[in-house]
């Protein structure tokens, strides 16, 4: 099996983790254990800023998509106006997660393709990511939404073990075909009702987000570009930032401009990032599109200004 094929299987780990986590969350919602889990992670009365910080920290290690879905699933039974929590959590997942090579697929691609030093990677991203995070923090402060957690039963040991196993395989980069069939298959046998509650539309979006770049990467087409930042921002608005990264990496030697471009380019249109689509699907409440446009537009503008200020 070739290196690129192995990479695809490893990239699918985030998809496998989300599928497992979604099934377990469905079971926790059914039993009421979700309240105890939410209280343990977010506190008894979590504000939007705390939700943002938890999402950002998780995204640095679990990828932005997996972290966002994990946190949003905890909010399901308790948010009165979910978009006021979901939208800043999305900003946090995309900005804080972008600080590390593990934070999202495009980071991992650039980190590996250019053999970037991890400290140099973090330092390069820090100012731009801080600028991208600022509008989300301001929005969270201005429109704070409290998520209250009540008491509930202790989660079953099987559910906890399955989530830990899936997260461990994700962090260890174990190819998905080595663990997902066994872990998810066993859980499906023992908790068939929970598996039926998985949002397979989201799983499909994540799978396409992994497979499309691998197809693009196999194309023998690599002209050179003079301004990778501008091109990657613009292209991300139409085809998402992960395919843009795969398409443009052979076209430039300037990994910093490309990295900033696909990071900033993940803000804007709903298709600019798979995480955007996930958040909009979860936010489904009145006023979400207006707030989404204002928040994403602010992030896009500040991210671009930060890049050019540092250039």
């Amino acid at each position: 099996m070739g290196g690129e094929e192995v990479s695809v299987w490893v990239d699918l780990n985030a998809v496998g983790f989300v599928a497992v986590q979604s099934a377990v969350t469905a079971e926790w919602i059914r039993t009421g254990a979700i309240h105890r889990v939410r209280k343990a992670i977010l506190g008894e009365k979590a504000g939007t800023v705390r939700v943002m910080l938890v999402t950002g920290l998780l995204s640095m290690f679990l990828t932005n998509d997996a972290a966002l879905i994990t946190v949003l699933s905890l909010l399901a039974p308790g948010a009165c106006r979910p978009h006021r929590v979901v939208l800043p959590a999305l900003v946090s997942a995309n900005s804080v997660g972008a600080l590390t090579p593990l934070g999202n697929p495009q980071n991992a691609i650039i980190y590996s393709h250019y053999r970037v030093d991890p400290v140099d990677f973090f330092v390069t991203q820090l100012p731009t990511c801080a600028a991208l995070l600022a509008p989300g923090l301001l929005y969270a402060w201005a429109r704070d939404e409290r998520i209250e957690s009540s008491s509930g039963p202790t989660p079953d040991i099987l559910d906890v073990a399955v989530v830990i196993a899936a997260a461990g395989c994700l962090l260890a980069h174990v190819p998905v075909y080595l663990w997902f069939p066994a872990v998810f298959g066993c859980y499906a046998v023992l908790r068939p009702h929970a598996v039926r509650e998985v949002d397979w539309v989201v799983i499909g979006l994540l799978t396409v987000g992994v497979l499309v770049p691998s197809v693009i990467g196999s194309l023998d087409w690599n002209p050179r570009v003079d301004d990778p930042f501008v091109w990657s921002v613009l292209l991300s608005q139409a085809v998402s930032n992960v395919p843009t990264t795969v398409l443009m990496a052979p076209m430039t030697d300037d990994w910093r401009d490309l990295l900033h471009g696909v990071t900033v380019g993940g803000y804007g249109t709903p298709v600019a990032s798979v995480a955007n689509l996930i958040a909009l699907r979860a936010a489904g409440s009145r006023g979400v599109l207006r707030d989404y446009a204002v928040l994403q537009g602010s992030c896009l503008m500040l991210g671009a200004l930060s890049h050019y200020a540092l250039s």
Side-chain angles (χ1 to χ4, degrees), residues 28 142 230 239:
W28 284 344
V230 171
V239 300

Side-chain angles (χ1 to χ4, degrees), residues 17 20-21 24 28 62 156-172 179 183:
F17 171 78
V20 171
Q21 180 266 327
V24 171
W28 284 344
L62 297 180
D156 190 89
I157 187 63
L158 171 65
D159 303 326
V160 176
V162 165
V163 170
I164 291 175
C169 291
L170 171 63
L171 294 174
W179 68 269
V183 173

